[in-house]
Structure formats: C-alpha cells, structure tokens
C-alpha cells in the first residue's frame, strides 16, 4: 500500500501463494508484477506455473517457449517444463527437464528434490533416494535439524547409542518404512521413533 508500484513484493507474494495452492491469489499478484515488470522472465515463468496448476497446458507452453527464447540458460524455465510434463503424465520428459535444470543450477535443492520424486515414481530407487537427500538443504528441514541439535547418523555402528528416527512423511510411508528399523535395532542399542499422534498407539507395539 505504501509503494503500490514497487514490483518485487507482488512476485514474492505470488510465488508464496502458488506454493500454498492459492492459485487465484497467485495469479492476481503475478499479473500485477508482470504489469510493472513486463520484461521479467521470472514473472513469465511464474505465470506459466499458474497455468500448469490450472491445467491450461497450451497457454503454459506458449509462455515457457517465450521465456526460453529470451533466456535459454535459465534453470527455472526447465524446472517449470518439468512440472508441465509431470502434470501431463510424461515422466520421461519430466526427468529430462529436471536434469537440465540441475545442469544449470546444480546447488538448488528444489531441483534435486523434484528429480528425486520423479525418479522414485518410476521406481528408480537408488538415484532417487540419493537425490532426495537434498531435501535436507531446504529451509524446512534445515530448521527441523537445527531444533534437534544432534549429529546425523551415517550408518556407522551405534555401539549402544540411542538412534532418534523422525517420521517426516505421510502415514502410509511411515508404516512402510518402519519395517526397515528391524535392520537397525539390536540388543545393544535403542531406537526412539518420533511420529505424529495418530500413529503413536499403533507403532508402540513395534519390537
């Protein structure tokens, strides 16, 4: 309100709204950003992402092609293409464009997490789980790890130490992966499993 012609907050708010699935708000803010910054490639790509979520794939393709013609080495364009192909059910193209985004911006954890999910969906598990470790570089996980203030277990012998396992995924994934704890638990160490409340009683009976 104080600076209605200051463009950056519109892009920030639009990107944030998109992350939370508030598509109408995202479109409103991003269109305002584009009106103030019509030459912004980021704004064009973000609007393409809005169209992807709206399933307006043809419009998104036009916007991404326009962005790519202007800046062929901008990683976020390839990442947006990957999302487009994900929504279209074209997993091979999704993975290809994820790799292109990583080639251009190898230290962006979001791009690694995106390809991890694509690979795991194709049951390419070894590379998929290796890439998924990049999630620990994202803000949410860095904040979570800082709260624990504990060293990360790297598979070494526990030698009677206590291992804290934090359940970070949905209920189905948690139930599936608790089976792996049997490979870690021995008579000489203790495991503490941290889960959400609805699973506490069910998992309390784990051996």
């Amino acid at each position: 309100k104080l600076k209605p012609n200051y463009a950056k907050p519109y892009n920030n708010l639009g990107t944030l709204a998109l992350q939370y699935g508030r598509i109408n708000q995202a479109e409103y803010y991003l269109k305002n950003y584009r009106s103030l910054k019509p030459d912004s490639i980021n704004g064009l790509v973000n609007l393409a992402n809005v169209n992807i979520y709206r399933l307006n794939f043809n419009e998104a393709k036009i916007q991404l092609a326009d962005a790519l013609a202007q800046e062929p080495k901008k990683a976020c364009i390839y990442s947006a293409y990957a999302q487009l192909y994900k929504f279209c059910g074209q997993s091979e193209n999704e993975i290809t464009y994820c790799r292109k985004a990583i080639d251009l911006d190898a230290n962006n954890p979001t791009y690694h997490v995106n390809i991890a999910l694509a690979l795991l969906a194709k049951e390419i598990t070894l590379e998929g789980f290796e890439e998924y470790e990049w999630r620990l570089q994202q803000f949410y996980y860095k904040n979570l790890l800082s709260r624990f203030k504990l060293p990360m277990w790297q598979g070494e012998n526990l030698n009677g130490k206590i291992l804290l396992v934090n359940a970070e995924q949905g209920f189905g994934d948690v139930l599936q992966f608790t089976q792996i704890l049997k490979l870690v638990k021995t008579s000489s160490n203790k495991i503490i499993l941290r889960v959400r409340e609805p699973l506490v009683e069910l998992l309390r009976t784990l051996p």
Side-chain angles (χ1 to χ4, degrees), residues 91 94-95 112-133 135 169 173 177:
S91 57
E94 177 191 358
I95 292 171
H112 287 276
V113 171
N114 287 345
I115 197 171
L117 297 176
L119 291 167
L120 291 172
K122 293 277 289 181
E123 299 184 359
I124 305 174
T125 52
L126 181 58
E127 185 184 2
F129 280 121
E130 287 177 350
E131 289 285 359
Y132 199 53
E133 287 298 292
R135 77 195 187 284
Q169 304 295 329
D173 287 331
F177 280 94

Side-chain angles (χ1 to χ4, degrees), residues 8-174:
K8 188 175 181 180
Y10 286 109
N11 189 53
N12 293 344
L13 287 168
T15 302
L16 187 63
L18 192 61
Q19 290 175 356
Y20 282 91
R22 299 175 180 176
I23 308 303
N24 290 336
Q25 287 184 12
E27 184 176 40
Y28 168 78
Y29 288 124
L30 292 170
K31 282 187 173 180
N32 274 281
Y33 177 72
R34 282 284 289 170
S35 69
L36 295 170
K37 290 280 187 178
D39 296 328
S40 169
I41 298 299
N42 286 338
L44 184 57
V45 172
N46 285 335
L47 275 177
N49 283 323
V50 168
N51 278 311
I52 291 169
Y53 277 96
R54 288 193 185 281
L55 308 184
N56 297 330
F57 299 139
N58 289 334
E59 183 65 24
K61 286 179 180 178
I62 292 170
Q63 290 169 323
L64 292 177
D66 184 9
L68 193 61
Q70 295 181 61
E71 289 200 36
K73 293 187 177 182
K74 195 169 182 67
C76 68
I77 301 172
Y78 294 94
S79 181
Y81 264 115
Q83 289 297 302
L84 171 65
Y85 287 122
K86 176 182 179 179
F87 273 71
C88 291
Q90 299 179 29
S91 57
E92 294 295 339
N93 284 334
E94 177 191 358
I95 292 171
T96 295
Y97 277 86
C98 281
R99 294 195 193 282
K100 289 181 178 181
I102 291 171
D103 286 343
L104 292 168
D105 189 359
N107 293 319
N108 189 314
T110 297
Y111 298 158
H112 287 276
V113 171
N114 287 345
I115 197 171
L117 297 176
L119 291 167
L120 291 172
K122 293 277 289 181
E123 299 184 359
I124 305 174
T125 52
L126 181 58
E127 185 184 2
F129 280 121
E130 287 177 350
E131 289 285 359
Y132 199 53
E133 287 298 292
W134 277 85
R135 77 195 187 284
L136 301 178
Q137 302 302 316
Q138 293 180 307
F139 175 79
Y140 168 80
Y141 287 101
K142 291 177 79 170
N143 182 53
L144 182 65
L145 290 173
S146 69
R147 288 163 53 195
F148 287 137
K149 297 180 180 176
L150 296 170
M152 186 75 71
W153 184 52
Q154 302 297 333
E156 71 275 8
N157 193 317
L158 290 170
N159 293 321
K161 296 178 180 178
I162 297 174
L163 178 65
L164 172 63
V165 178
N166 179 63
E168 61 185 62
Q169 304 295 329
F171 290 168
D173 287 331
V174 172

